[in-house]
Amino acid sequence: MKSEKNSNKLVMYNALSTMILYAITFFSAPLFSRLLGTDGYGIVQVYNTWVSFFVVIVGLHTRGTLSIAKVNFGEKEFLGYQSSALFLSLVGFVIGLIIVIIISPVLVPFFGLDTRYLILMTIHSFGVYCVYFVNTKFTYEMKAQVNLLISVMLALVNFFLSYVLIKNLHVEHLYTGRIVGMAIPYILAGILILIYVFKQGKTFFNKKYWGFCLPLCSPLIFHGISGIICASSDRVMIQQIIGPAAVGIYALAYNFANIMDSIWNALHNAWDPFFFEYVKQDRYDGLAVRSKDYIRIFTCLSIGFILLTPEVFQVFAAEEYWEGAKIIPVIILSQYSIFVYAFAANYEFAFKRTDVVAAGSVVAGLANVILNLLLINGMGYFGAAIATLLSNVILAAIHIIFAKRLVGKRWVYRLKMFVIPVVGLVFATTLYYICYPMWLIRWAIAASVGVYMIRKIYKNRRIF
C-alpha cells in the first residue's frame, strides 16, 4: 500500500508539472508563432533541434547511468557518484566548446548561423544538460516536487524573457530575442546546478566512478544522437527540401502533439523508480499487474487526445498553421511507439546492456534518415511524420526482440497486453480523418474513454 501511495504521489506531482507546462505552452506557442511568423518560428525550431543534438554530445550522457548507479551504490556513495559523473560531463563540455570555437569557420555555413550563435548554442546545450541531469537525479530520489518547481520556474522565465527581448531588442531578426530568451535561463540554471551537485557530492575525478560511468555512458551518446535524429532530423530536412515556412507549420503541430509526450514523461518519471525496484526484488508478477494499469491509462489518454485535437488545435494555432493538424494523429502513434519501446529499454538498463540500447537506436536513426529522404520528397512534411512513426516502430521492435532474449522468463510484456490498445489507437486515428468535421461524435467517444479510465483508477485506488 505504501508503494501505491508513493506512486500516486509521484504521478500527481508529475501530472501537475505537466498541466502547468501545458498551460504555459498553450499560451506561448501561439504567441511566439504569431510574433515570429512561419519563417522565424521555423528557424527557432531548427535551432532547438541543434541544441537537442549538442546536449547529448557535450554532456556525454552521464545522466543515463544514474538509474544503474542507484542500484549499485549506497545512498551516500550515490551522491559522490553524481558529483563525479557531472564533473565528467563538465570536462566534455569544455572540450566541446573549444572544438566549436576552433572549427566555427567550417560550421557557420553548415548551420546557417554565425559564430556567436554557435557558441551560445553550445553553452545553452550544457545548461539544458545540467537541468536534465538534476531532473534524473531527483526522479530516482523520488523528489518529483523539486522537478515540478524547476520545470515551472524555467518555463516561466523562458516565456517572459523571450517576450520582453522580442519586443525590445532592436535587431534585424526577431528570432534572436526568442533564442537568447531560451538560452539565458538554462545557462544560469546550469551554473546553479553544478554548484549544488558538487557541494552535495564533494567528488570530482574519481577513478572508480569514472571507470563505472564511461563504459555505460559511451554507448548512450550514440543512443542519444540516434534519438535526436529520429525526433528532429525531419525539421532540418524539411528546411533543406521545402523551406523554413513548412518547418514552422510542422513544428507547431509537433509541439502541440508533444503535450502527449509531456504526459508520458510525467508518467514515465513516476514509473521508472518502481520498475527498477520491482526488478531488483524479482517481483515480476507485481510488475506485470501494474504494467497493465500503466498501459491502459496511457492508451486512454492517447485515444482521447487524438479525438479532441481538431477543435483544440484551432484555438492553439493561428489559421496559417491549421493545415498541420493532419499530421497530429501520426505523431501520437509515433510517441506511443516510444512508450512501448521504453518497457524493453528499462530491462536493458536494469541489466547494464547500454550497448544494445545504443545499437538499436542507431539502426532506427539510420532508418529515419533514409525514410525522410524518400517520403519528404514525395509527401511533404506529412511524409516526415510517417517516417518518424515507421522508424519508432522499428526501434520498439528491435528492443523488444532483444530484451525478451536477454531476460527470458522475467519478460512480463506479452503481445496480448498491447493488441487491444493498438486496435483502439488505430480506430481513433481512422475516426479522426473520417469524422474530422463531426466533433460531436469524436468528443462523445473521447468522453466515454475518459469515464472508463477514471472508473478503473477509482476501482484500483491507484494510477498504476
Side-chain angles (χ1 to χ4, degrees), residues 52-315:
S52 300
F53 185 82
F54 273 54
V55 164
V56 176
I57 297 175
V58 299
L60 303 180
H61 222 300
T62 58
R63 73 186 183 94
T65 67
L66 293 184
S67 61
I68 306 171
K70 176 71 173 175
V71 175
N72 285 270
F73 297 122
E75 186 175 343
K76 186 175 181 180
E77 199 172 11
F78 185 45
L79 293 176
Y81 178 82
Q82 294 169 19
S83 177
S84 186
L86 188 56
F87 184 72
L88 177 60
S89 295
L90 179 61
V91 172
F93 159 66
V94 172
I95 294 172
L97 181 61
I98 292 171
I99 292 173
V100 167
I101 293 171
I102 292 173
I103 67 172
S104 60
V106 178
L107 297 177
V108 166
F110 178 76
F111 285 95
L113 298 169
D114 65 34
T115 302
R116 293 171 300 172
Y117 282 102
L118 293 178
I119 293 173
L120 178 66
M121 182 190 298
T122 308
I123 301 172
H124 179 185
S125 299
F126 187 66
V128 173
Y129 180 79
C130 289
V131 172
Y132 287 174
F133 186 96
V134 83
N135 284 160
T136 306
K137 163 187 166 65
F138 289 135
T139 293
Y140 291 106
E141 292 175 356
M142 297 189 182
K143 297 177 180 177
Q145 68 275 19
V146 183
N147 278 339
L148 165 64
L149 181 64
I150 293 171
S151 299
V152 172
M153 286 184 63
L154 277 171
L156 288 173
V157 174
N158 181 317
F159 171 76
F160 286 111
L161 183 59
S162 295
Y163 181 77
V164 169
L165 290 175
I166 290 172
K167 286 294 188 180
N168 293 282
L169 269 183
H170 300 290
V171 292
E172 182 181 357
H173 302 295
L174 290 176
Y175 60 75
T176 299
R178 178 59 171 149
I179 289 172
V180 174
M182 291 187 299
I184 289 176
Y186 277 101
I187 292 170
L188 295 177
I191 294 170
L192 293 175
I193 289 165
L194 285 171
I195 294 171
Y196 170 74
V197 174
F198 291 158
K199 184 178 180 181
Q200 196 177 47
K202 300 180 176 64
T203 308
F204 299 97
F205 172 75
N206 183 293
K207 185 177 180 181
K208 174 185 175 182
Y209 296 152
W210 283 27
F212 180 90
C213 184
L214 281 169
L216 294 172
C217 75
S218 298
L220 292 178
I221 297 173
F222 297 98
H223 164 66
I225 291 172
S226 300
I228 297 303
I229 290 172
C230 282
S232 304
S233 66
D234 43 12
R235 302 179 192 195
V236 176
M237 297 174 77
I238 290 170
Q239 182 189 38
Q240 298 295 324
I241 296 171
I242 306 175
V247 178
I249 295 169
Y250 179 85
L252 190 64
Y254 218 107
N255 288 344
F256 177 81
N258 274 344
I259 294 166
M260 200 63 227
D261 186 60
S262 297
I263 292 171
W264 172 68
N265 277 316
L267 294 170
H268 185 67
N269 287 341
W271 170 258
D272 265 12
F274 292 97
F275 173 89
F276 286 103
E277 191 66 26
Y278 270 73
V279 171
K280 185 178 181 181
Q281 297 175 9
D282 290 326
R283 295 172 58 194
Y284 292 99
D285 290 339
L287 178 62
V289 172
R290 299 189 73 163
S291 294
K292 290 177 183 177
D293 295 337
Y294 183 21
I295 293 167
R296 179 173 54 248
I297 188 172
F298 189 71
T299 302
C300 290
L301 290 170
S302 298
I303 290 172
F305 191 91
I306 290 172
L307 295 175
L308 301 179
T309 283
E311 291 72 31
V312 181
F313 186 69
Q314 289 182 12
V315 175

Side-chain angles (χ1 to χ4, degrees), residues 226 230 357-370 391 394-395 398:
S226 300
C230 282
V357 174
S361 299
V362 168
V363 172
L366 291 173
N368 183 258
V369 172
I370 295 169
S391 58
I394 292 170
L395 176 72
I398 290 172

